[in-house]
Each structure stands twice: as structure tokens, then as C-alpha cells.
Amino acid sequence: MICYQLLCEHDHEFEAWFRDSTAFDEQAAHGEVQCPFCGNDQIRKAVMSPAVASAKDVQVRTSADQKTAIEAAEKAASDMRSGADPQEAAQTFMEVVSKLQKHVENTCDYVGEDFAEEARAIHSGDAEMRDIYGEATSEETEELRDEGIEVISIPKLADKEQAN
Ligand SMILES: [Zn+2]
């Protein structure tokens, strides 16, 4: 799953989740991505802010809460895409995401821009096994996935955004 910051023709900004970058391109080309505010389907990617990502597979123990939160966010995102009332779906999505962000913040170590490096170190056993989150570009995230490190992207945490 990848989260994009998107803009419609009227410069409404919103976030949406996609399976991968190809899925976004395809759905946008077919007019399947719509602005939750006005329904416009001329959607483009906003300048990419660094994604906050948590490496799911580096967990010491399975966190049921986290899994549930991620699944809820994915479901809300898919409702948003599949024609549920866009306003309502967007609201649900934002609520779920904000819960997920809190959860990540409470249970994962913040590693900032060292995210990709640290995720690799944990994956290879060179660093302590733990959940981490931090900033990664979409390229870094793709690379990590290619290396078999499972990473999820969530919208940037509000307080970290202010800290920047
Ligand atoms: Zn719009």
C-alpha cells in the first residue's frame, strides 16, 4: 500500500491509498480516482512529501492492534475508491488514519530519515528487532519492498510535520 498526496483540477488536496504506484496511474487514467470534495477526476500527484512508513515485518511480536488499524485504514481507503459517499468515506479514512498514526507513534521508534537504513539493519539482524517509523521516499520504500522488507506508508504524522 502506498499513500499519495493528490490534487484535483480545483487544487483540493487529499490523500489516497493505492496498492502500488502502477495502480495509481491506471486508476487515475481511467478516471477512477476522484476528489472527495468535488468529485473531479483530473487527479495529479501533489509534490511528494516524505512518507511515514513502519516496517511491519520487523516487529518483535505481532501487534494485533496495529494490524487491525492498518486493515481498517486499507478498508476505508478501498471504500473511498469504490464509490461510497466520498465525503463520508474521506472522513472515516481520516479518522482511521489519525488512530493509526497515534498507534504507530506510541508503539514504534522514530528513526527519522534513517528509516531505510535502519529497516535494513533490523532486517539483516544488525540492529535490535523493533517496530520503527520514519521518513522514506517512495523510491526507498520500493527498494525495501524489493528486498523483501515489508513497509507500509501512512500519511505524515501531524506533530512530526510541524517539527520539520
Ligand atoms: Zn476537488
Side-chain angles (χ1 to χ4, degrees):
M1 294 292 289
I2 184 162
C3 182
Y4 284 124
Q5 195 80 23
L6 302 172
L7 286 171
C8 80
E9 221 175 5
H10 309 289
D11 287 337
H12 296 132
E13 195 167 347
F14 61 100
E15 284 163 339
W17 293 56
F18 299 90
R19 198 181 61 248
D20 50 37
S21 59
T22 318
F24 167 78
D25 292 340
E26 278 169 12
Q27 290 179 35
H30 290 99
E32 286 163 18
V33 187
Q34 290 175 355
C35 171
F37 304 103
C38 69
N40 181 276
D41 63 6
Q42 299 300 305
I43 305 301
R44 63 190 192 277
K45 281 185 217 167
V47 176
M48 192 75 178
S49 65
V52 173
S54 161
K56 270 203 287 192
D57 77 331
V58 298
Q59 293 179 184
V60 185
R61 57 194 179 279
T62 312
S63 157
D65 280 0
Q66 185 164 351
K67 207 159 178 282
T68 306
I70 291 165
E71 278 165 8
E74 285 177 350
K75 186 187 175 302
S78 112
D79 284 354
M80 206 159 145
R81 285 195 303 268
S82 62
D85 176 46
Q87 289 286 13
E88 205 176 301
Q91 168 132 19
T92 311
F93 177 69
M94 290 319 293
E95 280 167 16
V96 170
V97 164
S98 114
K99 271 189 211 146
L100 177 60
Q101 288 172 328
K102 273 216 168 57
H103 186 77
V104 165
E105 206 167 14
N106 290 337
T107 58
C108 306
D109 270 356
Y110 182 66
V111 296
E113 288 175 2
D114 296 335
F115 178 80
E117 207 176 301
E118 195 63 22
R120 276 193 189 99
I122 292 170
H123 191 70
S124 65
D126 292 337
E128 187 199 341
M129 286 288 270
R130 66 199 198 282
D131 286 350
I132 57 167
Y133 73 102
E135 278 92 38
T137 63
S138 51
E139 286 79 15
E140 283 174 333
T141 307
E142 299 262 304
E143 280 169 21
L144 289 171
R145 288 190 178 123
D146 286 348
E147 291 163 33
I149 302 171
E150 203 177 340
V151 170
I152 59 153
S153 299
I154 62 171
K156 216 160 149 58
L157 300 187
D159 61 339
K160 298 296 174 203
E161 199 159 30
Q162 279 153 19
N164 287 341

Coordinates of all heavy atoms in Angstrom, one line a residue, residues 68-141:
T68 N -5.0 -4.4 13.1 CA -6.4 -4.0 12.9 C -6.4 -2.6 12.4 O -7.2 -2.3 11.5 CB -7.1 -4.0 14.3 OG1 -6.9 -5.3 14.8 CG2 -8.5 -3.7 14.2
A69 N -5.6 -1.7 12.9 CA -5.6 -0.3 12.5 C -5.2 -0.2 11.0 O -5.9 0.5 10.2 CB -4.6 0.5 13.3
I70 N -4.2 -1.0 10.6 CA -3.8 -1.0 9.2 C -4.9 -1.5 8.3 O -5.3 -0.9 7.3 CB -2.5 -1.8 9.0 CG1 -1.4 -1.1 9.7 CG2 -2.2 -2.0 7.5 CD1 -0.1 -1.9 9.9
E71 N -5.6 -2.6 8.7 CA -6.7 -3.2 7.9 C -7.8 -2.2 7.8 O -8.4 -2.0 6.8 CB -7.1 -4.5 8.5 CG -6.2 -5.6 8.1 CD -6.4 -6.9 8.9 OE1 -7.3 -6.9 9.8 OE2 -5.6 -7.8 8.8
A72 N -8.1 -1.5 8.9 CA -9.2 -0.5 8.9 C -8.9 0.6 7.9 O -9.8 1.1 7.2 CB -9.5 0.0 10.3
A73 N -7.6 1.0 7.9 CA -7.2 2.1 7.0 C -7.3 1.7 5.6 O -7.8 2.4 4.7 CB -5.8 2.6 7.4
E74 N -6.9 0.4 5.4 CA -7.0 -0.1 4.0 C -8.4 -0.2 3.5 O -8.8 0.1 2.4 CB -6.3 -1.5 3.9 CG -4.8 -1.3 3.9 CD -4.0 -2.6 3.9 OE1 -4.6 -3.6 4.0 OE2 -2.7 -2.5 3.7
K75 N -9.3 -0.6 4.4 CA -10.7 -0.8 4.1 C -11.3 0.6 3.8 O -12.0 0.7 2.8 CB -11.5 -1.5 5.2 CG -12.9 -1.8 4.8 CD -13.8 -2.3 6.0 CE -15.2 -2.5 5.5 NZ -15.8 -1.2 5.0
A76 N -11.0 1.5 4.7 CA -11.6 2.9 4.4 C -11.1 3.4 3.1 O -11.8 4.1 2.4 CB -11.1 3.8 5.6
A77 N -9.8 3.2 2.8 CA -9.2 3.6 1.5 C -10.0 3.0 0.4 O -10.2 3.6 -0.7 CB -7.7 3.3 1.5
S78 N -10.3 1.7 0.5 CA -10.9 1.0 -0.6 C -12.4 1.4 -0.7 O -12.9 1.6 -1.8 CB -10.7 -0.5 -0.4 OG -12.0 -1.2 -0.2
D79 N -13.0 1.7 0.4 CA -14.4 2.3 0.3 C -14.4 3.6 -0.4 O -15.2 3.9 -1.2 CB -14.9 2.6 1.7 CG -15.4 1.4 2.5 OD1 -15.3 0.3 1.8 OD2 -15.7 1.4 3.7
M80 N -13.3 4.4 -0.2 CA -13.2 5.7 -0.8 C -13.1 5.6 -2.3 O -13.6 6.4 -3.0 CB -11.9 6.3 -0.2 CG -11.9 7.8 -0.2 SD -10.6 8.2 1.0 CE -10.0 9.7 0.3
R81 N -12.4 4.5 -2.7 CA -12.2 4.3 -4.2 C -13.4 3.7 -4.8 O -13.6 3.8 -6.0 CB -11.0 3.4 -4.4 CG -9.7 4.1 -4.2 CD -8.6 3.3 -4.8 NE -8.5 1.9 -4.2 CZ -7.8 1.6 -3.2 NH1 -7.1 2.5 -2.6 NH2 -7.7 0.4 -2.7
S82 N -14.2 2.9 -4.0 CA -15.2 2.1 -4.7 C -16.6 2.8 -4.7 O -17.6 2.1 -4.6 CB -15.3 0.7 -4.1 OG -15.6 0.8 -2.7
G83 N -16.6 4.1 -4.6 CA -17.8 4.8 -4.8 C -18.7 5.0 -3.6 O -19.9 5.4 -3.8
A84 N -18.2 4.7 -2.4 CA -19.0 5.0 -1.2 C -19.1 6.5 -1.2 O -18.3 7.2 -1.9 CB -18.3 4.5 0.0
D85 N -20.0 7.1 -0.5 CA -20.2 8.5 -0.4 C -18.8 9.1 -0.1 O -18.2 8.9 1.0 CB -21.2 8.9 0.7 CG -21.2 10.4 0.9 OD1 -21.3 11.1 -0.1 OD2 -21.2 10.9 2.1
P86 N -18.3 9.9 -1.0 CA -16.9 10.4 -0.9 C -16.6 11.2 0.4 O -15.6 11.0 1.0 CB -16.6 11.2 -2.1 CG -17.8 11.2 -2.9 CD -18.9 10.4 -2.2
Q87 N -17.5 12.0 0.8 CA -17.3 12.8 2.0 C -17.2 11.9 3.2 O -16.3 12.1 4.0 CB -18.5 13.8 2.2 CG -18.6 14.9 1.2 CD -17.5 16.0 1.5 OE1 -16.6 15.8 2.3 NE2 -17.7 17.1 0.8
E88 N -18.2 11.0 3.3 CA -18.2 10.1 4.4 C -17.0 9.2 4.5 O -16.4 9.0 5.5 CB -19.5 9.3 4.3 CG -20.0 8.8 5.6 CD -21.3 8.1 5.4 OE1 -22.3 8.7 4.9 OE2 -21.4 6.9 5.8
A89 N -16.7 8.7 3.3 CA -15.5 7.8 3.2 C -14.2 8.5 3.6 O -13.4 8.0 4.3 CB -15.4 7.1 1.9
A90 N -14.1 9.7 3.1 CA -12.9 10.5 3.4 C -12.8 10.8 4.9 O -11.7 10.7 5.5 CB -12.9 11.8 2.6
Q91 N -13.9 11.1 5.5 CA -14.0 11.3 6.9 C -13.6 10.1 7.7 O -12.7 10.2 8.6 CB -15.4 11.8 7.3 CG -15.6 11.8 8.8 CD -16.2 13.1 9.3 OE1 -16.8 13.9 8.5 NE2 -16.0 13.4 10.6
T92 N -14.2 9.0 7.4 CA -13.8 7.7 8.0 C -12.3 7.4 7.9 O -11.6 7.1 8.8 CB -14.6 6.5 7.4 OG1 -16.0 6.9 7.3 CG2 -14.4 5.2 8.2
F93 N -11.9 7.6 6.7 CA -10.5 7.4 6.4 C -9.6 8.2 7.2 O -8.6 7.7 7.9 CB -10.2 7.7 4.9 CG -8.8 7.5 4.5 CD1 -8.2 6.2 4.5 CD2 -8.0 8.6 4.2 CE1 -6.9 6.1 4.1 CE2 -6.7 8.4 3.8 CZ -6.1 7.2 3.8
M94 N -9.9 9.5 7.3 CA -9.0 10.4 8.1 C -9.1 10.0 9.6 O -8.1 10.1 10.3 CB -9.5 11.9 8.0 CG -9.1 12.5 6.6 SD -7.5 12.0 5.9 CE -6.4 12.8 7.0
E95 N -10.2 9.6 10.1 CA -10.3 9.1 11.5 C -9.4 7.9 11.7 O -8.7 7.8 12.7 CB -11.8 8.8 11.9 CG -12.6 10.0 12.2 CD -14.1 9.8 12.3 OE1 -14.5 8.6 12.4 OE2 -14.8 10.7 12.2
V96 N -9.6 7.0 10.8 CA -8.8 5.7 10.9 C -7.3 6.1 10.9 O -6.5 5.6 11.7 CB -9.2 4.7 9.8 CG1 -8.2 3.6 9.8 CG2 -10.6 4.2 10.0
V97 N -6.9 6.9 9.9 CA -5.5 7.3 9.8 C -5.0 7.9 11.0 O -3.9 7.7 11.5 CB -5.3 8.1 8.5 CG1 -3.9 8.8 8.5 CG2 -5.4 7.3 7.2
S98 N -5.8 8.8 11.6 CA -5.3 9.5 12.8 C -5.1 8.5 13.9 O -4.2 8.6 14.7 CB -6.2 10.7 13.1 OG -6.8 10.5 14.3
K99 N -6.0 7.5 14.0 CA -5.8 6.5 15.0 C -4.5 5.7 14.8 O -3.8 5.4 15.7 CB -7.0 5.5 15.1 CG -8.1 6.0 16.0 CD -9.2 4.9 16.1 CE -10.5 5.5 16.4 NZ -11.6 4.8 15.7
L100 N -4.4 5.4 13.5 CA -3.2 4.6 13.1 C -1.9 5.4 13.4 O -0.9 4.8 13.9 CB -3.3 4.2 11.6 CG -2.1 3.5 11.0 CD1 -1.9 2.1 11.7 CD2 -2.3 3.2 9.5
Q101 N -1.9 6.7 13.1 CA -0.8 7.5 13.4 C -0.4 7.5 14.9 O 0.7 7.4 15.2 CB -1.0 8.9 12.9 CG -1.0 9.1 11.4 CD -1.5 10.4 10.9 OE1 -2.3 11.1 11.6 NE2 -1.0 10.9 9.8
K102 N -1.5 7.7 15.7 CA -1.2 7.6 17.1 C -0.6 6.3 17.6 O 0.3 6.3 18.4 CB -2.6 7.8 17.9 CG -2.9 9.2 18.1 CD -3.6 9.5 19.4 CE -3.7 11.0 19.6 NZ -4.3 11.7 18.4
H103 N -1.2 5.2 17.0 CA -0.8 3.9 17.4 C 0.7 3.7 17.0 O 1.5 3.2 17.8 CB -1.6 2.9 16.7 CG -1.3 1.5 17.2 ND1 -1.7 1.0 18.4 CD2 -0.5 0.5 16.6 CE1 -1.2 -0.2 18.6 NE2 -0.5 -0.5 17.5
V104 N 1.1 4.1 15.8 CA 2.4 4.0 15.3 C 3.4 4.8 16.3 O 4.4 4.3 16.7 CB 2.6 4.5 13.9 CG1 4.0 4.7 13.5 CG2 1.9 3.5 12.9
E105 N 2.9 6.0 16.6 CA 3.7 6.9 17.4 C 4.0 6.3 18.8 O 5.0 6.4 19.4 CB 3.0 8.2 17.6 CG 3.9 9.3 17.8 CD 3.1 10.6 17.6 OE1 1.8 10.6 17.6 OE2 3.7 11.7 17.6
N106 N 2.9 5.6 19.3 CA 3.0 5.0 20.7 C 3.8 3.7 20.7 O 4.4 3.4 21.7 CB 1.6 4.8 21.3 CG 0.9 6.0 21.6 OD1 1.6 7.1 21.8 ND2 -0.4 6.0 21.6
T107 N 3.9 3.0 19.6 CA 4.4 1.7 19.7 C 5.7 1.5 18.8 O 6.4 0.5 18.9 CB 3.4 0.6 19.2 OG1 3.1 0.9 17.8 CG2 2.2 0.6 20.0
C108 N 6.1 2.5 18.0 CA 7.2 2.4 17.2 C 8.3 3.4 17.5 O 7.9 4.5 18.0 CB 6.9 2.5 15.7 SG 5.6 1.4 15.2
D109 N 9.5 3.1 17.3 CA 10.6 4.0 17.5 C 10.7 4.9 16.3 O 10.8 4.5 15.2 CB 12.0 3.3 17.6 CG 12.3 2.9 19.0 OD1 11.5 3.3 19.9 OD2 13.3 2.2 19.2
Y110 N 10.8 6.2 16.5 CA 11.0 7.2 15.4 C 12.5 7.3 15.0 O 13.3 7.5 15.9 CB 10.5 8.6 15.9 CG 10.6 9.6 14.8 CD1 9.8 9.4 13.6 CD2 11.4 10.7 14.8 CE1 9.9 10.4 12.6 CE2 11.5 11.6 13.8 CZ 10.8 11.4 12.7 OH 10.9 12.3 11.7
V111 N 12.8 7.0 13.8 CA 14.2 7.0 13.3 C 14.4 8.0 12.3 O 15.5 8.1 11.7 CB 14.6 5.6 12.8 CG1 14.6 4.6 13.9 CG2 13.7 5.1 11.7
G112 N 13.4 8.9 12.0 CA 13.6 10.0 11.1 C 14.0 9.5 9.7 O 13.5 8.5 9.2
E113 N 14.9 10.3 9.1 CA 15.3 10.0 7.7 C 16.2 8.7 7.6 O 16.6 8.3 6.5 CB 16.0 11.2 7.1 CG 15.0 12.3 6.9 CD 15.6 13.6 6.4 OE1 16.8 13.7 6.2 OE2 14.8 14.6 6.2
D114 N 16.6 8.2 8.7 CA 17.4 6.9 8.7 C 16.5 5.7 8.5 O 17.0 4.6 8.6 CB 18.2 6.7 10.0 CG 19.2 7.8 10.2 OD1 19.6 8.4 9.2 OD2 19.5 8.1 11.3
F115 N 15.2 5.9 8.2 CA 14.3 4.8 8.1 C 14.8 3.6 7.3 O 14.8 2.5 7.7 CB 12.9 5.3 7.7 CG 11.9 4.1 7.6 CD1 11.3 3.7 8.7 CD2 11.7 3.5 6.3 CE1 10.4 2.6 8.6 CE2 10.8 2.4 6.2 CZ 10.2 2.0 7.4
A116 N 15.1 3.9 6.0 CA 15.5 2.9 5.1 C 16.7 2.1 5.6 O 16.7 0.8 5.6 CB 15.8 3.4 3.7
E117 N 17.7 2.8 6.1 CA 18.9 2.3 6.6 C 18.6 1.4 7.8 O 19.1 0.2 7.9 CB 19.8 3.4 7.0 CG 21.3 3.1 7.0 CD 22.0 4.4 7.3 OE1 21.8 5.4 6.6 OE2 22.7 4.5 8.3
E118 N 17.9 1.9 8.7 CA 17.5 1.2 10.0 C 16.7 0.0 9.7 O 16.9 -1.1 10.3 CB 16.8 2.2 10.9 CG 16.7 1.8 12.3 CD 18.1 1.6 13.0 OE1 19.1 2.3 12.6 OE2 18.2 0.9 14.0
A119 N 15.7 0.1 8.7 CA 14.9 -1.1 8.4 C 15.7 -2.2 7.9 O 15.5 -3.4 8.2 CB 13.8 -0.6 7.4
R120 N 16.7 -1.9 7.1 CA 17.6 -2.9 6.5 C 18.5 -3.5 7.6 O 18.6 -4.7 7.7 CB 18.6 -2.2 5.5 CG 18.0 -2.1 4.2 CD 19.1 -1.8 3.1 NE 18.3 -1.5 1.9 CZ 18.1 -0.3 1.5 NH1 18.5 0.8 2.1 NH2 17.4 -0.1 0.4
A121 N 19.0 -2.7 8.5 CA 19.8 -3.2 9.6 C 19.0 -4.1 10.5 O 19.5 -5.2 10.9 CB 20.3 -2.0 10.5
I122 N 17.7 -3.8 10.8 CA 16.9 -4.7 11.6 C 16.6 -6.0 10.8 O 16.7 -7.1 11.4 CB 15.6 -4.0 12.0 CG1 15.8 -2.8 12.9 CG2 14.6 -5.0 12.6 CD1 14.7 -1.9 13.1
H123 N 16.3 -5.8 9.6 CA 16.0 -7.0 8.7 C 17.2 -8.0 8.7 O 17.0 -9.2 8.7 CB 15.7 -6.5 7.3 CG 15.1 -7.6 6.4 ND1 13.8 -8.1 6.6 CD2 15.6 -8.2 5.3 CE1 13.6 -9.0 5.7 NE2 14.6 -9.1 4.9
S124 N 18.4 -7.4 8.6 CA 19.6 -8.3 8.5 C 20.1 -8.7 9.9 O 21.1 -9.5 9.9 CB 20.7 -7.6 7.7 OG 21.1 -6.4 8.5
G125 N 19.5 -8.2 10.9 CA 19.9 -8.6 12.3 C 21.0 -7.8 12.8 O 21.5 -8.1 13.9
D126 N 21.4 -6.7 12.1 CA 22.4 -5.9 12.6 C 21.9 -4.8 13.7 O 22.7 -4.2 14.3 CB 23.1 -5.1 11.5 CG 23.9 -6.0 10.6 OD1 24.3 -7.1 11.1 OD2 24.1 -5.7 9.4
A127 N 20.7 -4.7 13.8 CA 20.1 -3.8 14.8 C 19.0 -4.5 15.5 O 18.5 -5.5 15.1 CB 19.5 -2.5 14.1
E128 N 18.7 -4.0 16.7 CA 17.7 -4.6 17.6 C 16.4 -4.7 16.9 O 15.9 -3.8 16.2 CB 17.6 -3.7 18.8 CG 16.7 -4.3 19.9 CD 16.3 -3.1 20.9 OE1 16.9 -2.1 20.9 OE2 15.3 -3.3 21.6
M129 N 15.7 -5.9 17.0 CA 14.4 -6.1 16.4 C 13.4 -5.2 17.1 O 13.2 -5.3 18.3 CB 14.0 -7.6 16.7 CG 14.7 -8.6 15.8 SD 14.1 -8.5 14.1 CE 12.8 -9.6 14.2
R130 N 12.8 -4.3 16.4 CA 11.7 -3.5 16.9 C 10.9 -2.9 15.8 O 11.3 -2.9 14.6 CB 12.3 -2.4 17.8 CG 13.2 -1.4 17.1 CD 14.1 -0.7 18.0 NE 14.6 0.5 17.5 CZ 15.6 0.6 16.6 NH1 16.2 -0.5 16.1 NH2 16.0 1.7 16.1
D131 N 9.8 -2.3 16.1 CA 9.0 -1.5 15.1 C 9.6 -0.1 15.0 O 9.9 0.5 16.0 CB 7.5 -1.4 15.6 CG 6.8 -2.7 15.5 OD1 7.3 -3.6 14.9 OD2 5.7 -2.7 16.0
I132 N 9.7 0.3 13.8 CA 10.2 1.7 13.6 C 9.3 2.4 12.7 O 8.6 1.8 11.9 CB 11.7 1.7 13.1 CG1 11.7 0.9 11.7 CG2 12.6 1.1 14.1 CD1 13.0 1.1 11.0
Y133 N 9.4 3.7 12.7 CA 8.8 4.5 11.7 C 9.7 5.7 11.4 O 10.5 6.1 12.3 CB 7.4 4.9 12.0 CG 7.2 6.0 13.1 CD1 6.9 7.3 12.8 CD2 7.3 5.7 14.4 CE1 6.7 8.3 13.8 CE2 7.2 6.6 15.4 CZ 6.9 7.9 15.1 OH 6.7 8.9 16.1
G134 N 9.5 6.3 10.2 CA 10.4 7.4 9.9 C 10.1 7.8 8.5 O 9.1 7.3 7.9
E135 N 10.8 8.7 8.0 CA 10.6 9.2 6.6 C 11.3 8.4 5.6 O 12.5 8.0 5.8 CB 11.0 10.7 6.4 CG 10.0 11.6 6.9 CD 10.2 12.0 8.4 OE1 11.4 12.2 8.8 OE2 9.3 12.1 9.2
A136 N 10.7 8.1 4.5 CA 11.3 7.4 3.4 C 10.7 7.9 2.1 O 9.5 8.3 2.1 CB 11.1 5.9 3.5
T137 N 11.5 8.0 1.1 CA 10.9 8.4 -0.2 C 10.2 7.2 -0.8 O 10.4 6.1 -0.4 CB 12.0 8.9 -1.2 OG1 12.9 7.8 -1.4 CG2 12.8 10.0 -0.6
S138 N 9.4 7.4 -1.9 CA 8.7 6.3 -2.5 C 9.7 5.4 -3.1 O 9.5 4.2 -3.1 CB 7.7 6.8 -3.5 OG 8.2 7.7 -4.4
E139 N 10.8 5.9 -3.6 CA 11.9 5.1 -4.2 C 12.5 4.2 -3.2 O 12.7 3.0 -3.4 CB 13.0 5.9 -4.8 CG 12.6 6.6 -6.2 CD 11.8 7.8 -6.0 OE1 11.7 8.4 -4.8 OE2 11.2 8.3 -6.9
E140 N 12.8 4.7 -2.0 CA 13.4 3.9 -0.9 C 12.4 2.8 -0.5 O 12.8 1.7 -0.2 CB 13.7 4.8 0.3 CG 15.0 5.7 0.1 CD 15.2 6.7 1.3 OE1 14.2 7.1 1.9 OE2 16.3 7.0 1.5
T141 N 11.1 3.2 -0.4 CA 10.1 2.3 0.0 C 10.0 1.1 -1.0 O 10.0 -0.1 -0.6 CB 8.8 3.0 0.2 OG1 8.9 4.1 1.0 CG2 7.7 2.1 0.7

